Amino acid sequence: MAELKPVPFDPVAFLAIAGLGRRIVQIKKKGILFSQGNEADSVFYIQKGRAKLTVVSQKGKEATITLLVAGDFVGEESIGAIAGLRLATATAMTACTVLKIDRKEMIRVVHEEHAFSDLFLAFLLTRSMRTQADLVDQLFNSSEKRLARILLLMADFGQPGEPEMMIPKISLETLANMIGATRSQVSFFMNRFRKHGFLEYNGRIHLHKSLLNVVLHDQIFEPNAAKPSLLDASQVSSKPAKRITAIVKRIDEAKIARKAERKSVA
């Protein structure tokens, strides 16, 4: 009787179908995958759709950490040595199909299946590099350039295949939270991008490849904060300046005279 050979592990198939310790979950738009403060008991793999990861401070201020797309894992902190609490909230930006993998099953497959652990490690390294790039962007680039970069990332520019020119609907408040700006600033930048033909914005955002010029070549046509220009010296009348000089001279002469009078009295 022929001996059956074990079927090699396929990480793609593992992440595509439900099985022991994992199930496929449908999340509606604005639905919650998990919430900050909940028990970290599972890892999610996004099969379809887009989501965002946000954190809320003790004072109630919300910040968007990153955007998530199909092919991303989220909630990977749950496979730490000690299972703790969720540090952020994952919310669906569009209708999402996700694979929910229990903590024990995720730890097992990482330890036992090298093909999967290689794939997962590659994701973690990519996520780490993206986080570093986000930090550098936040520290050194202008708000306008940070906005352009976020929009391009949402459209998957630079990824294999054709980019998505029409990105999912996203609020100006969310974009403002991501780049550390105000809603009015984001609105101003979006209108300027539209004016220069970088995008079309009418509820949904339709990007043009020319927006890359803002990020790659610093083609920002006006300063981020409009300031009144200083008057040219040639435009300033010399008469007021001479008058001020004469007044200062008289004040100095009066001071010298008073000092002389004090010395003579002494």
Side-chain angles (χ1 to χ4, degrees):
M1 188 173 179
E3 194 176 318
L4 295 176
K5 294 183 179 180
V7 178
F9 179 83
D10 184 355
V12 175
F14 177 85
L15 294 171
I17 59 176
L20 184 64
R22 63 190 194 278
R23 60 192 177 94
I24 295 175
V25 182
Q26 303 294 333
I27 308 293
K28 295 181 180 180
K29 181 179 179 181
K30 296 185 179 180
I32 304 297
L33 281 73
F34 57 79
S35 297
Q36 183 176 339
N38 287 356
E39 183 182 357
D41 58 358
S42 56
V43 177
F44 291 82
Y45 176 77
I46 301 178
Q47 296 178 340
K48 294 180 182 179
R50 290 176 179 258
K52 64 179 179 179
L53 200 63
T54 60
V55 63
V56 178
S57 69
Q58 292 182 349
K59 294 183 179 180
K61 185 176 181 181
E62 181 180 293
T64 301
I65 300 173
T66 189
L67 300 179
L68 305 165
V69 298
D72 282 348
F73 291 91
V74 63
E76 62 273 12
E77 71 277 2
S78 64
I79 63 173
I82 300 176
L85 301 179
R86 300 287 188 189
L87 302 177
T89 298
T91 308
M93 297 175 63
T94 65
C96 291
T97 301
V98 299
L99 181 70
K100 184 177 181 180
I101 309 171
D102 292 343
R103 179 175 184 271
K104 289 183 179 180
E105 174 63 9
M106 187 70 182
I107 293 174
R108 182 200 69 78
V109 75
V110 167
H111 285 166
E112 297 180 5
E113 305 295 347
H114 296 302
F116 183 86
S117 57
D118 287 346
L119 180 149
F120 188 60
L121 180 60
F123 165 78
L124 293 178
L125 290 174
T126 302
R127 168 73 63 82
S128 176
M129 293 169 62
R130 164 74 184 276
T131 302
Q132 290 184 42
D134 288 343
L135 178 59
V136 171
D137 186 48
Q138 191 75 24
L139 291 174
F140 296 111
N141 290 331
S142 66
S143 299
E144 190 168 20
K145 190 171 181 179
R146 293 201 300 272
L147 177 60
R149 178 176 175 271
I150 285 296
L151 293 174
L152 291 170
L153 287 173
M154 290 182 69
D156 292 333
F157 273 88
Q159 301 298 322
E162 287 296 317
E164 296 182 30
M165 304 302 289
M166 185 76 75
I167 67 176
K169 190 173 182 179
I170 185 170
S171 68
L172 297 183
E173 287 85 357
T174 299
L175 290 172
N177 287 337
M178 296 187 69
I179 68 172
T182 64
R183 184 188 183 284
S184 59
Q185 285 177 311
V186 170
S187 178
F188 176 75
F189 297 149
M190 293 290 284
N191 287 330
R192 186 152 64 186
F193 289 162
R194 179 166 51 187
K195 176 182 176 182
H196 291 292
F198 294 149
L199 56 79
E200 297 172 18
Y201 175 58
N202 186 16
R204 292 286 299 276
I205 302 171
H206 184 274
L207 297 185
H208 298 159
K209 290 184 178 180
S210 57
L211 185 63
L212 278 170
N213 293 328
V214 177
V215 176
L216 298 179
H217 307 297
D218 290 324
Q219 289 190 6
I220 300 175
F221 293 90
E222 300 174 21
N224 286 335
K227 298 180 180 178
S229 58
L230 297 176
L231 291 175
D232 188 5
S234 62
Q235 297 175 338
V236 180
S237 173
S238 61
K239 289 183 180 180
K242 289 180 179 179
R243 191 179 305 154
I244 293 172
T245 302
I247 293 172
V248 173
K249 186 176 181 182
R250 285 182 212 163
I251 293 173
D252 290 339
E253 289 174 350
K255 288 181 180 178
I256 293 172
R258 281 198 297 271
K259 286 182 181 179
E261 287 178 3
R262 290 172 186 168
K263 286 183 181 180
S264 62
V265 171

